[in-house]
Amino acid sequence: MDHLTILLLCFIARPILTASIAIRQPLEACVTQALLGPDATQRIVTPQDETYTDARLGEKIHFSSYSALNNTLVIDLGHLNYAIVSQDHSTAKVGAGIRLGALYTALDGYNTSWVGGICPTVGLSGLLGAGGFNMQMRALGISSEHVLSTQVVTASGKTLTASPSSNPDLFWAIRGGGGGTYGIMTELTLKLTQLPRSAMVALSWDNTDNRFDVAKRFLEWAPRQPKEFTSQVNVYRSTVQVLGWYLGGTQQELQALVNDSGLLQIGQPQTQVYGNCNTDNSRVFGYTTTECVPDNKVDASILNVIPDAFAKYENSPQFTYNEIPLSTSRATAEPWPRYRRLSKSFFVQKDNLLSDDVLRSVVDRIGQLDEASQVWGEWHAWNISETGGNNAFAWQEQAYAHLEFQAHGSNDSAIQSGYEKWFADLEGYLRPAVGPASYAGYMDSSISVDPLQSYYGDNICRLVDVKKRYDPGNFFTNPHAIQPTAPTKPSTQVGCDHSKTLSVNEIASKHVM
């Protein structure tokens, strides 16, 4: 019996978790027994510890914080961050808690990479639970399609292999069907890809009046470009920016796309188009640079994150444990700042594109918040042509673009209330125009439609069946997680007809890698 199994059994014996001493003390004793090594007690943080607030936050102040709910145990997998690459460099076994920047840094040593997300601090398991959008996806698919198998510890304490041939229903569900819902992923086998040298573009406009025209032209143009070109438009209060990655393209090929886009005819943009960019340079493009430079000049330190990659939160003492980056030859990433974040997510579907009136209103709304909010819209072109993966992400075939809105919150209650009202008004205006679809990686406690339908679409009933099989007691849960009971109308827009449910063998037979 491994230590994670013992840890879970501690909680199976105590289904109600509270802060009371009667429950907490035996629970702490059981957890201590489950952890290995002489430093076990250093890895347990309780409400009595001064680092408790910091330790339980993680990225809590980002989005809805459903991984750090009250009266629950938080199992931090951040130090499961190893990467063992196969001899032929085609696959890697990696710890499920590894952050994307650390993964890319480790794979650099083998001259290979993985089709993964954008932000270096995002954890691998969380990315896959939501599906895994990335800047190579229009050509290579979402990240879930680049997983070969995973080890999962279930609520009963069993360690299972989930793959196309072993527990294929679980393998399907944990990729796009919601994170932390069916079990704890501890290790994954990834399919690696040596990404080609690429061309990158950055266009920026400083004139407020250009924002609508740029956003409109981008949404008309970008999702219809060659599949190798994945791009985004960032709409700010008074400026607008376009970033793009042309996978395997040359500077001349990308310049031709940009010249034909119509974007250069809007205002007076600052234009940067580069070719021959290596993968690290491409990954940090838009973060720390908007240039491509010779390989020996690329500063990829932002990728070399430590397991707990974030800065101190306000006045809370910081919890640290064995914070060693995977590369000691590369400079370590600076701690990422924590801040209160408000966010909204909307998918624009191929059969329901935004009207000019709606788009103009949304752009104007971004200009209404104050400068301190740092509000912005990060809108990505989708229209993915490669849809070969059998996973639970619901919107891959229909998504035309993804619209995310973010703002920094405030400690001033009156200002914060104003920000929350702005987001509520945005939800009330834009949701009826675009429909229910949202990205599960940005769960939203104030979403106006049924959250399960929004995140999982027509896959809800299949996901319920998987949940019933592997976690019938609903041990792993959050307010917007799939439950082990079938939804019924009118709480969702779907009811489950189990006569149409696929068997495990049918799921396996339909799986395509």
Side-chain angles (χ1 to χ4, degrees):
M1 182 179 294
D2 62 38
H3 63 284
L4 188 53
T5 297
I6 299 173
L7 183 61
L8 291 178
L9 291 176
C10 295
F11 296 99
I12 294 171
R14 298 169 179 83
I16 300 175
L17 301 182
T18 72
S20 68
I21 294 177
I23 296 289
R24 191 180 67 246
Q25 288 182 341
L27 184 59
E28 290 174 18
C30 189
V31 171
T32 302
Q33 178 187 357
L35 297 178
L36 301 179
D39 60 352
T41 57
Q42 299 176 31
R43 294 146 59 195
I44 301 171
V45 183
T46 73
Q48 285 66 50
D49 295 314
E50 64 175 5
T51 59
Y52 176 71
T53 297
D54 177 86
R56 72 183 296 269
L57 278 177
E59 284 189 87
K60 176 176 168 53
I61 47 178
H62 291 242
F63 313 116
S64 289
S65 312
Y66 286 164
S67 62
L69 298 169
N70 292 333
N71 298 326
T72 61
L73 173 82
V74 177
I75 301 176
D76 187 344
L77 302 181
H79 289 80
L80 290 179
N81 66 335
Y82 57 86
I84 304 171
V85 177
S86 64
Q87 287 189 348
D88 63 0
H89 299 181
S90 65
T91 65
K93 291 184 181 296
V94 303
I98 196 169
R99 298 189 187 277
L100 298 182
L103 174 62
Y104 304 147
T105 298
L107 296 179
D108 277 348
Y110 299 88
N111 193 30
T112 190
S113 195
W114 184 67
V115 178
I118 301 167
C119 182
T121 61
V122 167
L124 178 61
S125 298
L127 173 80
L128 296 172
F133 85 77
N134 60 78
M135 288 298 283
Q136 308 93 43
M137 65 186 178
R138 297 191 64 242
L140 302 178
I142 61 174
S143 300
S144 288
E145 298 176 26
H146 298 265
V147 179
L148 300 175
S149 67
T150 180
Q151 297 295 302
V152 182
V153 178
T154 66
S156 65
K158 294 180 180 178
T159 300
L160 303 178
T161 297
S163 71
S165 59
S166 179
N167 302 298
D169 52 346
L170 180 61
F171 186 58
W172 171 81
I174 59 179
R175 296 171 304 128
T181 301
Y182 313 96
I184 299 176
M185 285 192 279
T186 58
E187 183 180 87
L188 299 102
T189 301
L190 305 180
K191 178 175 63 175
L192 303 183
T193 301
Q194 187 180 50
L195 299 177
R197 288 183 172 271
S198 299
M200 307 296 293
V201 59
L203 309 174
S204 58
W205 292 258
D206 293 331
N207 191 329
T208 302
D209 294 338
N210 295 146
R211 294 178 308 140
F212 167 73
D213 292 329
V214 171
K216 171 179 164 61
R217 186 65 198 123
F218 175 87
L219 291 173
E220 292 171 343
W221 167 77
R224 295 183 169 96
Q225 294 313 294
K227 64 183 182 179
E228 291 79 15
F229 183 63
T230 301
S231 55
Q232 68 189 73
V233 59
N234 300 321
V235 183
Y236 301 97
R237 293 179 64 254
S238 58
T239 63
V240 62
Q241 177 189 48
V242 170
L243 299 172
W245 182 339
Y246 195 170
L247 188 67
T250 66
Q251 182 179 13
Q252 292 74 22
E253 290 170 332
L254 181 52
Q255 187 68 64
L257 287 185
V258 174
N259 290 345
D260 292 341
S261 70
L263 289 167
L264 300 184
Q265 284 68 55
I266 301 172
Q268 296 179 320
Q270 179 182 347
T271 303
Q272 297 170 279
V273 180
Y274 296 93
N276 199 36
C277 309
N278 74 11
T279 299
D280 279 348
N281 201 156
S282 300
R283 290 198 189 279
V284 302
F285 195 91
Y287 269 122
T288 58
T289 185
T290 52
E291 296 181 326
C292 288
V293 297
D295 291 0
N296 63 352
K297 300 295 184 181
V298 174
D299 180 4
S301 60
I302 193 174
L303 302 177
N304 194 27
V305 295
I306 60 177
D308 287 326
F310 304 100
K312 179 180 178 180
Y313 176 60
E314 296 183 347
N315 295 320
S316 298
Q318 192 159 17
F319 173 80
T320 60
Y321 171 79
N322 197 26
E323 306 302 337
I324 300 173
L326 292 190
S327 173
T328 56
S329 61
R330 174 181 290 179
T332 303
E334 290 294 322
W336 283 62
R338 286 170 162 151
Y339 54 88
R340 300 177 186 273
R341 176 177 291 183
L342 298 92
S343 178
K344 286 284 181 184
S345 162
F346 306 84
F347 274 116
V348 176
Q349 306 281 44
K350 295 176 183 177
D351 58 0
N352 185 28
L353 302 183
L354 287 179
S355 69
D356 286 356
D357 288 344
V358 170
L359 179 60
R360 187 182 297 277
S361 176
V362 169
V363 171
D364 288 345
R365 287 166 186 263
I366 291 175
Q368 293 172 1
L369 285 186
D370 60 24
E371 187 173 349
S373 71
Q374 300 185 47
V375 64
W376 62 308
E378 181 179 327
W379 304 346
H380 285 85
W382 279 62
N383 195 22
I384 299 176
S385 59
E386 301 297 324
T387 57
N390 184 358
N391 54 71
F393 179 67
W395 307 115
Q396 186 160 328
E397 293 185 6
Q398 286 300 315
Y400 179 80
H402 178 256
L403 312 182
E404 183 189 0
F405 299 81
Q406 297 183 31
H408 288 219
S410 173
N411 290 329
D412 184 298
S413 59
I415 295 174
Q416 179 70 9
S417 178
Y419 292 168
E420 291 172 357
K421 183 179 184 303
W422 185 93
F423 275 91
D425 290 345
L426 176 68
E427 173 77 19
Y429 178 77
L430 189 53
R431 186 68 64 187
V434 300
S438 296
Y439 187 65
Y442 307 130
M443 284 192 173
D444 180 357
S445 61
S446 61
I447 196 168
S448 61
V449 295
D450 180 81
L452 296 186
Q453 184 187 18
S454 180
Y455 304 133
Y456 309 120
D458 291 341
N459 290 332
I460 295 174
C461 295
R462 285 180 64 185
L463 290 169
V464 168
D465 287 334
V466 175
K467 179 73 168 178
K468 288 167 62 177
R469 182 176 184 190
Y470 293 95
D471 186 18
N474 204 28
F475 185 78
F476 301 108
T477 192
N478 66 64
H480 288 174
I482 292 291
Q483 304 296 303
T485 55
T488 57
K489 297 177 181 178
S491 61
T492 66
Q493 297 301 307
V494 296
C496 293
D497 180 356
H498 293 285
S499 67
K500 298 179 180 179
T501 301
L502 294 179
S503 69
V504 174
N505 289 336
E506 288 173 319
I507 292 174
S509 68
K510 290 178 177 289
H511 191 93
V512 179
M513 286 302 295

